[in-house]
Short mmCIF file of all heavy atoms in Angstrom, two decimals:
data_model
loop_
_atom_site.label_atom_id
_atom_site.label_comp_id
_atom_site.label_asym_id
_atom_site.label_seq_id
_atom_site.Cartn_x
_atom_site.Cartn_y
_atom_site.Cartn_z
N ALA A 62 73.56 101.94 105.10
CA ALA A 62 73.34 100.57 105.61
C ALA A 62 74.18 100.34 106.79
O ALA A 62 73.72 99.76 107.73
CB ALA A 62 73.80 99.64 104.37
N ILE A 63 75.43 100.87 106.80
CA ILE A 63 76.37 100.82 107.93
C ILE A 63 75.78 101.45 109.12
O ILE A 63 75.68 100.86 110.26
CB ILE A 63 77.65 101.31 107.63
CG1 ILE A 63 78.38 100.45 106.53
CG2 ILE A 63 78.57 101.28 108.80
CD1 ILE A 63 79.70 101.05 106.06
N GLY A 64 75.24 102.56 108.95
CA GLY A 64 74.63 103.39 110.12
C GLY A 64 73.43 102.79 110.66
O GLY A 64 73.29 102.65 111.89
N ALA A 65 72.60 102.11 109.75
CA ALA A 65 71.31 101.45 110.22
C ALA A 65 71.73 100.23 111.08
O ALA A 65 71.16 99.94 112.15
CB ALA A 65 70.55 101.10 109.05
N ILE A 66 72.73 99.53 110.56
CA ILE A 66 73.23 98.36 111.25
C ILE A 66 73.74 98.72 112.74
O ILE A 66 73.40 98.08 113.70
CB ILE A 66 74.23 97.55 110.52
CG1 ILE A 66 73.61 96.98 109.27
CG2 ILE A 66 74.86 96.43 111.25
CD1 ILE A 66 74.60 96.30 108.30
N MET A 67 74.57 99.74 112.65
CA MET A 67 75.10 100.20 114.00
C MET A 67 74.03 100.70 114.96
O MET A 67 74.08 100.40 116.17
CB MET A 67 76.08 101.27 113.65
CG MET A 67 77.47 100.77 113.03
SD MET A 67 78.71 102.09 112.82
CE MET A 67 78.95 102.52 114.58
N GLY A 68 73.10 101.52 114.39
CA GLY A 68 72.00 101.90 115.10
C GLY A 68 71.14 100.84 115.71
O GLY A 68 70.47 101.01 116.81
N THR A 69 70.97 99.72 114.96
CA THR A 69 70.17 98.60 115.42
C THR A 69 70.93 97.81 116.44
O THR A 69 70.26 97.42 117.48
CB THR A 69 69.95 97.68 114.27
OG1 THR A 69 69.27 98.37 113.21
CG2 THR A 69 69.03 96.52 114.70
N LEU A 70 72.18 97.75 116.41
CA LEU A 70 72.97 96.92 117.40
C LEU A 70 73.19 97.62 118.65
O LEU A 70 73.40 97.01 119.63
CB LEU A 70 74.41 96.48 116.79
CG LEU A 70 74.27 95.58 115.55
CD1 LEU A 70 75.62 95.30 114.96
CD2 LEU A 70 73.58 94.25 115.86
N THR A 71 73.25 98.95 118.58
CA THR A 71 73.43 99.73 119.84
C THR A 71 72.22 100.29 120.31
O THR A 71 71.27 100.64 119.59
CB THR A 71 74.44 100.96 119.51
OG1 THR A 71 73.79 101.72 118.47
CG2 THR A 71 75.83 100.41 119.14
N PRO A 72 72.02 100.31 121.56
CA PRO A 72 70.71 100.84 122.16
C PRO A 72 70.50 102.31 121.91
O PRO A 72 71.40 103.12 121.95
CB PRO A 72 70.90 100.65 123.69
CG PRO A 72 72.36 100.53 123.85
CD PRO A 72 72.99 99.98 122.64
N ASP A 73 69.28 102.74 121.64
CA ASP A 73 68.94 104.12 121.37
C ASP A 73 68.61 104.72 122.64
O ASP A 73 67.56 104.56 123.26
CB ASP A 73 67.67 104.10 120.44
CG ASP A 73 67.26 105.58 120.14
OD1 ASP A 73 68.03 106.46 120.42
OD2 ASP A 73 66.11 105.80 119.59
N ILE A 74 69.60 105.50 123.16
CA ILE A 74 69.50 106.16 124.52
C ILE A 74 68.93 107.62 124.30
O ILE A 74 68.80 108.36 125.24
CB ILE A 74 70.80 106.20 125.16
CG1 ILE A 74 71.93 106.94 124.39
CG2 ILE A 74 71.31 104.84 125.54
CD1 ILE A 74 73.19 107.16 125.16
N SER A 75 68.74 108.02 123.02
CA SER A 75 68.26 109.45 122.77
C SER A 75 66.89 109.65 123.27
O SER A 75 66.51 110.70 123.79
CB SER A 75 68.39 109.79 121.37
OG SER A 75 67.59 108.92 120.58
N SER A 76 66.14 108.46 123.21
CA SER A 76 64.71 108.57 123.63
C SER A 76 64.55 108.76 125.15
O SER A 76 63.54 109.25 125.63
CB SER A 76 63.88 107.33 123.09
OG SER A 76 64.56 106.14 123.74
N SER A 77 65.64 108.28 125.88
CA SER A 77 65.55 108.40 127.26
C SER A 77 66.06 109.72 127.82
O SER A 77 66.07 110.02 128.99
CB SER A 77 66.34 107.26 128.03
OG SER A 77 67.74 107.34 127.60
N MET A 78 66.60 110.56 126.94
CA MET A 78 67.19 111.86 127.33
C MET A 78 66.00 112.83 127.50
O MET A 78 65.04 112.88 126.72
CB MET A 78 68.09 112.39 126.27
CG MET A 78 69.42 111.55 126.09
SD MET A 78 70.49 112.30 124.94
CE MET A 78 71.92 111.08 125.05
N PRO A 79 66.22 113.71 128.55
CA PRO A 79 65.04 114.73 128.80
C PRO A 79 65.06 115.74 127.71
O PRO A 79 66.08 116.21 127.19
CB PRO A 79 65.40 115.37 130.09
CG PRO A 79 67.03 115.15 130.30
CD PRO A 79 67.23 113.80 129.51
N THR A 80 63.84 116.13 127.20
CA THR A 80 63.63 117.11 126.38
C THR A 80 63.15 118.36 127.00
O THR A 80 62.01 118.32 127.61
CB THR A 80 62.59 116.70 125.17
OG1 THR A 80 63.08 115.43 124.58
CG2 THR A 80 62.44 117.76 124.24
N PRO A 81 63.93 119.41 126.99
CA PRO A 81 63.45 120.66 127.57
C PRO A 81 62.23 121.25 127.01
O PRO A 81 62.01 121.26 125.77
CB PRO A 81 64.65 121.59 127.54
CG PRO A 81 65.40 121.15 126.24
CD PRO A 81 65.10 119.59 126.20
N PRO A 82 61.33 121.85 127.70
CA PRO A 82 60.18 122.44 127.25
C PRO A 82 60.50 123.69 126.39
O PRO A 82 61.53 124.28 126.58
CB PRO A 82 59.32 122.88 128.54
CG PRO A 82 60.33 122.90 129.60
CD PRO A 82 61.36 121.98 129.37
N PRO A 83 59.55 124.09 125.53
CA PRO A 83 59.96 125.16 124.59
C PRO A 83 60.28 126.49 125.32
O PRO A 83 61.12 127.23 124.85
CB PRO A 83 58.70 125.29 123.64
CG PRO A 83 58.07 123.95 123.75
CD PRO A 83 58.37 123.46 125.14
N GLN A 84 59.51 126.76 126.40
CA GLN A 84 59.76 128.01 127.05
C GLN A 84 60.95 128.04 128.06
O GLN A 84 61.33 129.06 128.54
CB GLN A 84 58.50 128.37 127.90
CG GLN A 84 58.21 127.38 129.19
CD GLN A 84 57.34 126.20 128.68
OE1 GLN A 84 57.22 125.84 127.50
NE2 GLN A 84 56.90 125.45 129.68
N ALA A 85 61.60 126.87 128.17
CA ALA A 85 62.84 126.84 129.03
C ALA A 85 63.94 127.61 128.28
O ALA A 85 64.19 127.46 127.15
CB ALA A 85 63.22 125.45 129.32
N SER A 86 64.62 128.38 129.18
CA SER A 86 65.75 129.24 128.64
C SER A 86 67.12 128.63 129.10
O SER A 86 67.57 128.73 130.20
CB SER A 86 65.71 130.64 129.22
OG SER A 86 65.72 130.70 130.72
N LEU A 87 67.62 127.72 128.21
CA LEU A 87 68.84 126.97 128.58
C LEU A 87 70.06 127.80 127.86
O LEU A 87 69.91 128.51 127.00
CB LEU A 87 68.88 125.66 127.94
CG LEU A 87 67.85 124.64 128.62
CD1 LEU A 87 68.01 123.25 127.92
CD2 LEU A 87 68.12 124.46 130.09
N ASN A 88 71.23 127.57 128.57
CA ASN A 88 72.42 128.15 128.03
C ASN A 88 72.57 127.45 126.57
O ASN A 88 72.35 126.38 126.38
CB ASN A 88 73.58 127.63 128.91
CG ASN A 88 74.91 128.25 128.50
OD1 ASN A 88 75.25 127.99 127.29
ND2 ASN A 88 75.57 128.97 129.37
N PRO A 89 72.97 128.38 125.64
CA PRO A 89 73.18 127.87 124.19
C PRO A 89 74.15 126.77 124.07
O PRO A 89 73.89 125.82 123.36
CB PRO A 89 73.66 129.18 123.45
CG PRO A 89 73.16 130.34 124.26
CD PRO A 89 73.16 129.83 125.72
N GLN A 90 75.19 126.84 124.87
CA GLN A 90 76.17 125.75 124.94
C GLN A 90 75.59 124.45 125.39
O GLN A 90 75.84 123.32 124.92
CB GLN A 90 77.47 126.10 125.68
CG GLN A 90 78.61 125.23 125.57
CD GLN A 90 79.19 125.31 124.15
OE1 GLN A 90 79.27 126.31 123.57
NE2 GLN A 90 79.69 124.22 123.69
N ALA A 91 74.78 124.50 126.48
CA ALA A 91 74.18 123.36 127.05
C ALA A 91 73.10 122.81 125.98
O ALA A 91 72.96 121.56 125.92
CB ALA A 91 73.43 123.81 128.40
N MET A 92 72.48 123.66 125.38
CA MET A 92 71.36 123.13 124.39
C MET A 92 72.24 122.51 123.30
O MET A 92 71.79 121.38 122.72
CB MET A 92 70.69 124.34 123.86
CG MET A 92 69.52 123.93 122.73
SD MET A 92 68.38 122.78 123.47
CE MET A 92 67.35 123.85 124.39
N ALA A 93 73.32 123.00 122.80
CA ALA A 93 74.07 122.46 121.79
C ALA A 93 74.61 121.05 122.14
O ALA A 93 74.64 120.07 121.36
CB ALA A 93 75.25 123.31 121.40
N SER A 94 75.08 121.00 123.43
CA SER A 94 75.61 119.65 123.91
C SER A 94 74.44 118.59 123.95
O SER A 94 74.72 117.45 123.65
CB SER A 94 76.22 119.89 125.32
OG SER A 94 77.20 120.86 125.24
N LEU A 95 73.30 118.98 124.33
CA LEU A 95 72.12 118.12 124.37
C LEU A 95 71.85 117.66 122.92
O LEU A 95 71.57 116.44 122.75
CB LEU A 95 70.97 118.79 125.09
CG LEU A 95 69.68 117.92 125.11
CD1 LEU A 95 69.85 116.67 125.90
CD2 LEU A 95 68.56 118.77 125.69
N LYS A 96 71.81 118.57 121.93
CA LYS A 96 71.54 118.11 120.56
C LYS A 96 72.54 117.27 120.04
O LYS A 96 72.24 116.24 119.35
CB LYS A 96 71.37 119.38 119.65
CG LYS A 96 70.18 120.18 119.97
CD LYS A 96 70.04 121.44 119.04
CE LYS A 96 68.76 122.22 119.27
NZ LYS A 96 68.70 123.32 118.33
N GLN A 97 73.85 117.50 120.37
CA GLN A 97 74.88 116.63 119.95
C GLN A 97 74.72 115.24 120.58
O GLN A 97 74.91 114.30 119.87
CB GLN A 97 76.25 117.25 120.42
CG GLN A 97 77.48 116.36 120.02
CD GLN A 97 78.74 116.97 120.52
OE1 GLN A 97 78.82 118.16 120.84
NE2 GLN A 97 79.75 116.21 120.47
N ALA A 98 74.51 115.11 121.83
CA ALA A 98 74.28 113.79 122.44
C ALA A 98 73.19 113.09 121.86
O ALA A 98 73.19 111.85 121.53
CB ALA A 98 74.09 113.98 124.05
N GLN A 99 72.04 113.85 121.53
CA GLN A 99 70.83 113.13 120.87
C GLN A 99 71.18 112.65 119.47
O GLN A 99 70.76 111.61 119.07
CB GLN A 99 69.63 114.06 120.89
CG GLN A 99 69.07 114.36 122.26
CD GLN A 99 67.98 115.49 122.20
OE1 GLN A 99 67.91 116.29 121.30
NE2 GLN A 99 67.10 115.35 123.13
N ALA A 100 72.04 113.49 118.74
CA ALA A 100 72.33 113.10 117.46
C ALA A 100 73.23 111.90 117.26
O ALA A 100 73.11 111.01 116.47
CB ALA A 100 73.01 114.30 116.71
N LEU A 101 74.21 111.83 118.25
CA LEU A 101 75.14 110.66 118.20
C LEU A 101 74.56 109.42 118.81
O LEU A 101 75.14 108.40 118.65
CB LEU A 101 76.41 111.13 118.99
CG LEU A 101 77.23 112.26 118.38
CD1 LEU A 101 78.44 112.57 119.28
CD2 LEU A 101 77.60 111.82 116.97
N ALA A 102 73.44 109.51 119.68
CA ALA A 102 72.95 108.41 120.39
C ALA A 102 71.59 108.07 119.77
O ALA A 102 70.85 107.31 120.35
CB ALA A 102 72.73 108.69 121.75
N GLY A 103 71.33 108.44 118.58
CA GLY A 103 70.09 108.18 117.91
C GLY A 103 69.94 106.75 117.45
O GLY A 103 70.91 105.99 117.52
N GLY A 104 68.77 106.42 116.98
CA GLY A 104 68.48 105.03 116.51
C GLY A 104 68.90 104.82 115.16
O GLY A 104 69.70 105.63 114.58
N PRO A 105 68.41 103.69 114.47
CA PRO A 105 68.90 103.35 113.13
C PRO A 105 68.69 104.42 112.08
O PRO A 105 69.65 104.67 111.27
CB PRO A 105 68.10 102.17 112.79
CG PRO A 105 67.64 101.60 114.13
CD PRO A 105 67.47 102.73 115.03
N LEU A 106 67.62 105.19 112.13
CA LEU A 106 67.39 106.18 111.08
C LEU A 106 68.32 107.37 111.12
O LEU A 106 68.92 107.84 110.18
CB LEU A 106 65.92 106.65 111.19
CG LEU A 106 64.78 105.61 110.87
CD1 LEU A 106 63.43 106.24 110.90
CD2 LEU A 106 65.04 105.10 109.39
N ILE A 107 68.55 107.72 112.44
CA ILE A 107 69.44 108.87 112.61
C ILE A 107 70.84 108.45 112.25
O ILE A 107 71.56 109.21 111.63
CB ILE A 107 69.42 109.35 114.06
CG1 ILE A 107 67.98 110.03 114.30
CG2 ILE A 107 70.56 110.45 114.37
CD1 ILE A 107 67.94 110.39 115.75
N GLN A 108 71.35 107.37 112.71
CA GLN A 108 72.64 106.87 112.31
C GLN A 108 72.77 106.55 110.89
O GLN A 108 73.84 106.97 110.23
CB GLN A 108 73.03 105.58 113.06
CG GLN A 108 73.03 105.69 114.58
CD GLN A 108 74.10 106.74 115.06
OE1 GLN A 108 75.06 106.97 114.35
NE2 GLN A 108 73.89 107.30 116.17
N ALA A 109 71.71 106.13 110.32
CA ALA A 109 71.80 105.90 108.76
C ALA A 109 71.97 107.22 108.01
O ALA A 109 72.68 107.34 107.09
CB ALA A 109 70.50 105.18 108.26
N ARG A 110 71.17 108.29 108.47
CA ARG A 110 71.32 109.54 107.87
C ARG A 110 72.78 110.08 108.04
O ARG A 110 73.35 110.60 107.09
CB ARG A 110 70.39 110.60 108.51
CG ARG A 110 70.44 111.98 108.06
CD ARG A 110 69.88 112.89 109.08
NE ARG A 110 70.63 112.90 110.28
CZ ARG A 110 70.27 113.55 111.43
NH1 ARG A 110 69.16 114.25 111.37
NH2 ARG A 110 70.96 113.50 112.51
N ASN A 111 73.25 109.99 109.30
CA ASN A 111 74.62 110.71 109.58
C ASN A 111 75.70 109.91 108.71
O ASN A 111 76.60 110.53 108.02
CB ASN A 111 74.95 110.39 110.99
CG ASN A 111 74.05 111.28 111.90
OD1 ASN A 111 73.38 112.24 111.47
ND2 ASN A 111 74.09 111.00 113.24
N PHE A 112 75.68 108.64 108.65
CA PHE A 112 76.64 107.90 107.89
C PHE A 112 76.46 108.01 106.38
O PHE A 112 77.52 107.94 105.68
CB PHE A 112 76.63 106.45 108.23
CG PHE A 112 77.49 106.08 109.50
CD1 PHE A 112 76.93 106.27 110.81
CD2 PHE A 112 78.80 105.71 109.44
CE1 PHE A 112 77.64 105.89 111.92
CE2 PHE A 112 79.54 105.40 110.59
CZ PHE A 112 78.97 105.56 111.80
N ALA A 113 75.21 108.14 106.02
CA ALA A 113 74.95 108.37 104.49
C ALA A 113 75.59 109.63 104.08
O ALA A 113 76.26 109.69 103.01
CB ALA A 113 73.46 108.32 104.25
N VAL A 114 75.32 110.64 104.78
CA VAL A 114 75.92 112.08 104.48
C VAL A 114 77.51 112.00 104.52
O VAL A 114 78.27 112.42 103.58
CB VAL A 114 75.34 113.11 105.43
CG1 VAL A 114 76.08 114.42 105.12
CG2 VAL A 114 73.91 113.31 105.18
N MET A 115 77.96 111.38 105.48
CA MET A 115 79.48 111.39 105.72
C MET A 115 80.15 110.59 104.56
O MET A 115 81.06 111.02 103.97
CB MET A 115 79.84 110.67 107.06
CG MET A 115 81.29 110.72 107.44
SD MET A 115 81.63 110.19 109.05
CE MET A 115 80.81 108.52 109.14
N THR A 116 79.63 109.29 104.32
CA THR A 116 80.34 108.41 103.44
C THR A 116 80.05 108.91 101.86
O THR A 116 80.89 108.84 101.06
CB THR A 116 79.95 107.05 103.45
OG1 THR A 116 78.51 106.90 103.39
CG2 THR A 116 80.38 106.47 104.89
N GLY A 117 78.81 109.42 101.70
CA GLY A 117 78.46 109.93 100.34
C GLY A 117 79.32 111.15 100.00
O GLY A 117 79.80 111.21 98.87
N THR A 118 79.39 112.11 100.94
CA THR A 118 80.30 113.27 100.70
C THR A 118 81.71 112.93 100.43
O THR A 118 82.38 113.41 99.54
CB THR A 118 80.12 114.17 101.85
OG1 THR A 118 78.80 114.65 102.03
CG2 THR A 118 80.92 115.51 101.62
N ASN A 119 82.28 112.00 101.26
CA ASN A 119 83.61 111.60 101.04
C ASN A 119 83.90 110.88 99.66
O ASN A 119 84.82 111.22 99.05
CB ASN A 119 83.90 110.56 102.20
CG ASN A 119 85.46 110.28 102.20
OD1 ASN A 119 86.08 109.72 101.35
ND2 ASN A 119 86.12 110.74 103.32
N ALA A 120 82.98 110.07 99.31
CA ALA A 120 83.13 109.27 98.00
C ALA A 120 83.00 110.31 96.86
O ALA A 120 83.82 110.20 95.92
CB ALA A 120 82.09 108.17 97.93
N GLY A 121 82.00 111.21 97.01
CA GLY A 121 81.91 112.16 95.83
C GLY A 121 83.03 113.04 95.71
O GLY A 121 83.53 113.38 94.57
N ILE A 122 83.56 113.71 96.75
CA ILE A 122 84.72 114.59 96.70
C ILE A 122 86.01 113.85 96.28
O ILE A 122 86.68 114.36 95.40
CB ILE A 122 84.91 115.27 98.00
CG1 ILE A 122 83.75 116.13 98.29
CG2 ILE A 122 86.11 116.15 97.95
CD1 ILE A 122 83.78 116.86 99.72
N ALA A 123 86.10 112.63 96.76
CA ALA A 123 87.27 111.88 96.34
C ALA A 123 87.19 111.55 94.81
O ALA A 123 88.27 111.66 94.13
CB ALA A 123 87.30 110.58 97.15
N CYS A 124 86.04 111.23 94.29
CA CYS A 124 85.87 111.05 92.86
C CYS A 124 86.24 112.25 92.09
O CYS A 124 86.98 112.17 90.99
CB CYS A 124 84.44 110.55 92.63
SG CYS A 124 83.94 110.44 90.83
N ILE A 125 85.78 113.34 92.46
CA ILE A 125 86.03 114.63 91.75
C ILE A 125 87.47 114.89 91.77
O ILE A 125 88.17 115.33 90.78
CB ILE A 125 85.23 115.73 92.31
CG1 ILE A 125 83.67 115.58 92.19
CG2 ILE A 125 85.67 117.17 91.73
CD1 ILE A 125 82.92 116.52 92.85
N MET A 126 88.12 114.78 92.90
CA MET A 126 89.58 115.06 93.03
C MET A 126 90.41 114.04 92.22
O MET A 126 91.44 114.52 91.47
CB MET A 126 89.95 114.96 94.53
CG MET A 126 89.36 116.01 95.45
SD MET A 126 89.78 117.69 95.08
CE MET A 126 91.57 117.63 95.53
#
Side-chain angles (χ1 to χ4, degrees):
I63 295 173
I66 293 173
M67 292 183 61
T69 303
L70 297 178
T71 56
D73 182 9
I74 61 175
S75 61
S76 57
S77 61
M78 292 182 179
T80 302
Q84 65 273 16
S86 57
L87 291 180
N88 185 300
Q90 190 67 35
M92 180 63 72
S94 299
L95 179 60
K96 289 182 178 180
Q97 175 180 346
Q99 289 176 335
L101 296 178
L106 292 179
I107 293 178
Q108 296 299 337
R110 177 202 64 187
N111 293 347
F112 275 84
V114 171
M115 182 172 60
T116 57
T118 303
N119 189 294
I122 296 178
C124 171
I125 294 173
M126 295 296 293

